[in-house]
Amino acid sequence: MGATKTDHFTESQNELAVLAKAIGHPARIAIIEYLLKVDACICGDIVNELPLSQPTVSQHLKELKNAGLIKGSIEGNSICYCINEPGLEKIKGFFEHISAHLAKKKNECC
Amino acid sequence: MGATKTDHFTESQNELAVLAKAIGHPARIAIIEYLLKVDACICGDIVNELPLSQPTVSQHLKELKNAGLIKGSIEGNSICYCINEPGLEKIKGFFEHISAHLAKKKNECC
DNA sequence: ATTTTATATCGTAATATTGCAATATAAAAA
DNA sequence: TTTTTATATTGCAATATTACGATATAAAAT
């Protein structure tokens, strides 16, 4: 089928899945890492940093934006992209939650 | 094309992408959350917890195992699945790294 | 006004993912 | 030994993703 049965899962589970899925591609990780490295909004530089064509990069940027992981604003000729903190905080919270659980675990098996 | 150009990215980026991609489905998040909730290895219960057929659940378990997020050992008739900590720690590290970066950021734009 | 620069969208081909019915496997129970 | 129980694998249809060439858009520079 190819279509995820989102109806049967909680909103939280679906929300996290969308975020994780958006991160689940090396090009999109590279974009996030680059935005962190330059430590600022950047205008028109991302395409040159990636080993992919301009339309493909544009598509990845769109996906990251849709997932709420980055944001972009028009800056004259070009577009200024940067990290969208709330999105990253949300998924980070999930792993902190997991870590807290694991810390309490007695490791009695496996 | 549909095939990710993994060659052009770093090993770390590809590794993280595989982990995030594995988490990027609500059913697989539900599995991880369930394994955390029961706080132990569980033998044969996961299928009943999910709104999906047995073959589909089996496939999701396989993907989580391949990504290194869970592990399973044969326990007589059934199979005992549990969280694989190193996998989760690895992806958690990525978000901690991101958080550290964001904390230093001056928020001078966006 | 024309050209350049930066980015997005469209169309399309190749490949991947999701989901399930049918079937296989293999240990446990009867 | 037959049946039951638990899980995996196969095969397939529906849909999604990835990538890029061609083209569109729109502001900046000439």
Side-chain angles (χ1 to χ4, degrees):
Chain A
M1 311 220 154
T4 298
K5 284 182 139 189
T6 52
D7 309 6
H8 299 87
F9 299 98
T10 69
E11 209 170 315
S12 154
Q13 285 166 343
N14 283 314
E15 209 177 345
L16 274 170
V18 166
L19 287 166
K21 199 174 179 181
I23 297 173
H25 191 289
R28 296 194 287 267
I29 288 180
I31 290 171
I32 291 173
E33 287 181 340
Y34 182 65
L35 287 174
L36 286 169
K37 198 183 76 180
V38 297
D39 198 25
C41 295
I42 59 156
C43 305
D45 218 5
I46 300 178
V47 171
N48 304 317
E49 291 293 323
L50 293 186
L52 295 168
S53 74
Q54 181 270 320
T56 303
V57 172
S58 182
Q59 197 175 282
H60 283 305
L61 286 167
K62 193 179 175 186
E63 274 170 70
L64 285 171
K65 212 164 97 183
N66 286 343
L69 289 164
I70 67 172
K71 52 188 172 178
S73 53
I74 297 168
E75 203 74 33
N77 198 16
S78 60
I79 292 189
C80 189
Y81 280 110
C82 64
I83 295 290
N84 185 48
E85 296 204 30
L88 280 171
E89 289 302 323
K90 204 172 273 179
I91 192 159
K92 189 189 138 211
F94 174 66
F95 288 100
E96 281 174 352
H97 172 74
I98 286 180
S99 260
H101 256 287
L102 288 175
K104 272 190 281 179
K105 226 185 133 184
K106 289 150 207 144
N107 262 344
E108 63 219 9
C109 55
C110 300
Chain B
M1 313 219 155
T4 299
K5 285 181 137 190
T6 52
D7 308 7
H8 300 87
F9 300 97
T10 69
E11 208 170 317
S12 154
Q13 286 166 343
N14 283 314
E15 209 178 344
L16 274 171
V18 166
L19 287 166
K21 198 173 181 183
I23 296 173
H25 190 290
R28 295 194 288 267
I29 288 181
I31 290 170
I32 290 173
E33 287 181 340
Y34 182 64
L35 287 174
L36 285 169
K37 199 183 76 180
V38 298
D39 196 27
C41 296
I42 58 156
C43 305
D45 220 3
I46 299 178
V47 172
N48 304 318
E49 291 293 321
L50 294 185
L52 296 168
S53 73
Q54 181 269 320
T56 303
V57 172
S58 182
Q59 197 177 280
H60 284 307
L61 287 167
K62 193 179 173 184
E63 275 170 68
L64 285 171
K65 211 165 99 181
N66 286 343
L69 289 165
I70 66 171
K71 53 188 170 175
S73 53
I74 297 168
E75 203 74 33
N77 198 16
S78 59
I79 291 188
C80 189
Y81 280 110
C82 62
I83 296 288
N84 186 47
E85 296 204 28
L88 280 171
E89 289 302 323
K90 204 171 274 178
I91 192 158
K92 189 190 139 209
F94 174 66
F95 288 99
E96 281 173 351
H97 172 73
I98 285 180
S99 259
H101 257 285
L102 288 175
K104 272 189 282 182
K105 226 185 135 183
K106 289 149 207 145
N107 263 347
E108 64 220 6
C109 56
C110 302

